[in-house]
Amino acid sequence: MGKFKNIVILTGAGISAESGLATFRAANGLWNNHKVEDVATIEAFQRNPAYVHEFYNDLKKEVLAAKPNAAHQAITRLQKEYPAEVSVITQNVDLLHEKAGNQNVYHIHGQINQAVCLNCGQILETSGDVDTETVCPHCGIGGMMKPNIVFFGENLLYMDKVDELLRRCDLFLSVGTSGVVFPAAAFVQTAKYYGAATYEFNLEATSNNFYFDQHIMGPAGTTLPAFVDEMIKDIKNAD
Ligand code: BV8
């Protein structure tokens, strides 16, 4: 395996599955017993903000109680022991990358412990409930807080940084994502266009098959640590 300088790791709900968090497109097609379009679209929030706040307040308790798994911890090992810049672009709104000690984490779909004030744009970090009564601590206006979650129909966060990372990366790992949500599902195409080696870690083949050089099947909690250990061993042997 070559020596890489700029590594990008794109993660989805599958990397958090072994930490007990539900993925989005599991067999029953519902996500935490709700239709995605009822809770994760900008129209749903405009139609019934109280319902969407309630959904995320409940989800927040479960997500913040979850613990990182061996896949998240393998990324920390890679960042500490492999001589490259390693960035994590995550579609997940959980904080398991941070809890495992990962650095350079970009939450392109937002994060569950934040709310944004639609009046002044300030981000409120909170592990508590947010609802249609919550007053913005910055501008003092009530009833204008929205979960800092990128709903379907909203633009992603950190896209300038993502574009820069994808153009520079020489290794692109996709871990635990079904590759059906855009534009994240197209990141591998950009990475490949700019010359990166591309690997997919999943339980099954995904709709993005064609763009990956290698498919590493199996639970990320097993496959990613093994892959990282191999990379670190190669570097040590090369020295
Ligand atoms: C946008 C917030 C511009 C909620 C999320 C038609 C064609 C192309 C695009 C579109 C289209 N129609 C609409 C669009 C755009 C739309 C889109 O892509 N829709 C899809 C459904 C077709 N995208 C958007 O709206 C995005 N914005 O495009 O902006 C714009 C602006 C204005 C108007 C229009 C466009 C916004 C997308 C973000 C939406 N928000 N989340 C929340 O998270 O609370 S997306 C949601 O899906 C999550 O973020 C999630 O991370 C993401 C992707 O899902 P996955 O993470 O991949 O999870 P999934 O369950 O699908 O898969 C899990 C995988 O893990 C599986 O493959 C499984 O096999 C694997 N796995 C399971 N266990 C393990 C494992 N692998 C390894 N180990 C295991 N143990």
Side-chain angles (χ1 to χ4, degrees), residues 14-89:
I15 198 171
S16 300
E18 289 160 85
S19 294
L21 296 181
T23 62
F24 284 78
R25 290 161 194 89
N28 62 9
L30 283 181
W31 171 46
N32 283 19
N33 305 319
H34 290 72
K35 287 205 194 86
V36 170
E37 56 272 20
D38 289 347
V39 289
T41 65
I42 192 66
E43 295 80 12
F45 185 69
Q46 287 158 346
R47 188 173 57 237
N48 189 346
Y51 181 68
V52 173
H53 275 303
E54 185 193 353
F55 173 78
Y56 280 101
N57 288 335
D58 290 349
L59 183 66
K60 187 185 289 190
K61 295 178 181 65
E62 179 197 344
V63 165
L64 293 183
K67 302 257 180 300
N69 63 58
H72 301 102
Q73 285 149 4
I75 295 173
T76 298
R77 240 185 7 264
L78 186 68
Q79 291 182 325
K80 286 188 171 152
E81 299 180 39
Y82 191 89
E85 183 188 314
V86 182
S87 305
V88 180
I89 299 173

Side-chain angles (χ1 to χ4, degrees), residues 155-235:
N155 283 312
L156 272 59
L157 305 175
Y158 303 109
M159 283 308 280
D160 290 347
K161 183 65 182 173
V162 164
D163 206 40
E164 178 214 319
L165 291 172
L166 293 176
R167 289 163 183 262
R168 277 196 302 125
C169 80
D170 48 13
L171 178 63
F172 180 89
L173 309 181
S174 173
V175 185
T177 181
S178 56
V180 300
V181 174
F182 288 83
F187 289 174
V188 61
Q189 297 174 41
T190 308
K192 189 139 194 68
Y193 176 80
Y194 284 101
T198 55
Y199 289 70
E200 181 169 56
F201 294 76
N202 202 302
L203 297 177
E204 58 197 11
T206 66
S207 31
N208 255 337
N209 238 335
F210 172 76
Y211 297 101
F212 289 100
D213 304 324
Q214 305 249 350
H215 298 269
I216 300 178
M217 296 294 186
T222 306
T223 57
L224 190 59
F227 185 84
V228 164
D229 290 346
E230 202 55 37
M231 283 184 70
I232 292 168
K233 200 172 77 189
D234 282 358
I235 281 292

